[in-house]
Amino acid sequence: MDNNAQKMRLNKNAGFRYFWSNRYFYLLLFPCVVYFIIFRYVPMYGLILAFKDFKFAKGIIGSAWVGLENFKYLFGLDAFYRVFRNSIYLSVLRLVICFPIPILLSLAINEIPFVFFKRLTQTMVYLPHFISWVVIGGILVNLLSPSWGLVNTFIKSLGGEAVFFMGSAKYFRGLVIFSHIWKTAGWDTIIYLAAITSIDPELYQAATIDGASRLQRIWHITLPGIKPTIIILLLLSIGNIMNNGFEQIFMLQNGSNIAVSEVFETYTYRIGIINGRYSFATTVGLFGSVIGFILLVVADRIAKSIGEGGIF
């Protein structure tokens, strides 16, 4: 017993010394921990609304417990399956088309030989990240307007007819993908460029001496070097597949394209905030979160089964 107590005391002392020696790192981490606790974990208490018939007068605790009735009602709605189909389809499109763009962009930026132009290019491509979706929505409306938009002016100058891009369902997904790439691709390259800088430069020097071309160096050195980063970000993207982004969809959505633009975020907003059905809106949000978590776990297991690192 004395030996066990002594070992525990030594472990505690070692743990305290480790914490104290890294106290500034933990201090930097503290605001992030507080943020996630306040804005991510505390609000999870409200998930019980999905199992209640919420009334303002009674509050969350006092509202009647209805069990799975909200889910039964949700699965019985035709609109739910339309929203679910739109969300999945748009998310898969965004994953397939948008995910590789930052990788290719970071590889291209890394190959720029002049440091000044490399930094200038990187700055220019990630600046759109700081523009809000409200501003981007206004830019798209003005660019694509059938009356005064620059795009339609060019089309009419070539003898064509004006196209109402914002009011046509068939153009909606293309606009979402294009605007998403323009706004986020440059910002996502920061992670990949950071991963590229961690690759040993001697590998490139040895490959150059052996006669490897630039494309061969990218394929055999750069891509394998950032492969773990790509896998982690891909897993996170799959886990976030049910989140299409409320701001972007809401700014591009209108009555003409709602058949293909209604996703879980806008559906939850319209049902929960506009119509005041908070329990039903929580049910929709909880369903999307569960689906995302399941996809994340499945993707993580697949990654581990093929010898790649996971996140669990």
Side-chain angles (χ1 to χ4, degrees):
M1 293 294 293
D2 293 338
N3 290 334
N4 291 334
Q6 186 176 5
K7 288 180 179 178
M8 292 178 62
R9 187 162 53 251
L10 290 174
N11 290 334
K12 289 181 179 179
N13 292 335
F16 178 77
R17 287 195 300 270
Y18 176 81
F19 173 80
W20 185 251
S21 63
N22 296 279
R23 58 190 182 278
Y24 296 113
F25 293 105
Y26 285 105
L27 186 62
L28 290 173
L29 183 64
F30 181 73
C32 298
V33 174
V34 172
Y35 169 81
F36 277 98
I37 291 175
I38 295 177
F39 296 103
R40 291 293 185 266
Y41 289 100
V42 173
M44 290 178 68
Y45 166 74
L47 291 177
I48 63 174
L49 287 177
F51 307 96
K52 290 198 168 194
D53 182 17
F54 177 71
K55 304 294 182 184
F56 263 116
K58 297 181 179 179
I60 297 178
I61 300 298
S63 298
W65 186 272
V66 295
L68 298 177
E69 291 300 320
N70 288 323
F71 290 93
K72 293 179 181 178
Y73 178 73
L74 175 66
F75 296 145
L77 293 175
D78 293 334
F80 164 75
Y81 296 98
R82 175 174 57 84
V83 172
F84 182 72
R85 183 172 59 253
N86 290 340
S87 299
I88 290 293
Y89 188 68
L90 188 58
S91 295
V92 171
L93 273 180
R94 184 176 290 170
L95 182 64
V96 172
I97 298 175
C98 299
F99 183 79
I101 299 298
I103 302 174
L104 299 175
L105 189 58
S106 61
L107 293 176
I109 293 175
N110 185 62
E111 293 301 319
I112 298 177
F114 305 106
V115 177
F116 173 77
F117 289 107
K118 179 184 292 187
R119 293 176 178 175
L120 179 63
T121 303
Q122 185 179 357
T123 302
M124 291 178 62
V125 297
Y126 75 61
L127 278 179
H129 172 79
F130 300 99
I131 303 176
S132 71
W133 281 115
V134 177
V135 176
I136 293 176
I139 293 174
L140 289 176
V141 168
N142 284 278
L143 284 176
L144 303 176
S145 171
S147 302
W148 63 82
L150 182 63
V151 175
N152 276 300
T153 300
F154 178 73
I155 293 175
K156 287 186 287 187
S157 68
L158 297 177
E161 296 183 357
V163 180
F164 191 12
F165 292 99
M166 301 295 292
S168 178
K170 67 179 181 179
Y171 295 114
F172 174 78
R173 294 189 177 107
L175 290 175
V176 169
I177 298 299
F178 170 77
S179 59
H180 181 81
I181 292 174
W182 182 72
K183 178 175 169 60
T184 65
W187 181 259
D188 292 340
T189 59
I190 295 176
I191 300 176
Y192 295 112
L193 287 171
I196 290 174
T197 57
S198 65
I199 300 175
D200 189 355
E202 293 183 358
L203 295 175
Y204 293 102
Q205 296 172 5
T208 303
I209 294 173
D210 291 338
S213 65
R214 178 167 293 184
L215 288 177
Q216 288 175 328
R217 293 196 298 269
I218 292 174
W219 183 258
H220 295 288
I221 298 177
T222 308
L223 284 177
I226 64 174
K227 186 179 179 181
T229 304
I230 295 175
I231 296 297
I232 293 297
L233 293 180
L234 179 60
L235 291 177
L236 293 176
S237 298
I238 293 175
N240 204 35
I241 201 169
M242 297 301 295
N243 182 16
N244 285 284
F246 172 78
E247 295 88 353
Q248 181 188 16
I249 304 299
F250 185 73
M251 292 308 303
L252 300 179
Q253 188 180 79
N254 53 58
S256 301
N257 59 31
I258 198 169
V260 297
S261 65
E262 188 80 296
V263 294
F264 278 115
E265 289 85 353
T266 57
Y267 188 63
T268 302
Y269 167 77
R270 186 163 55 84
I271 296 297
I273 305 300
I274 303 301
N275 296 338
R277 301 174 61 184
Y278 299 102
S279 294
F280 182 68
T282 306
T283 303
V284 176
L286 180 58
F287 173 79
S289 299
V290 170
I291 295 298
F293 178 74
I294 293 173
L295 291 174
L296 177 61
V297 172
V298 171
D300 182 75
R301 294 293 177 87
I302 294 174
K304 289 181 178 178
S305 67
I306 60 177
E308 300 297 336
I311 57 177
F312 291 116

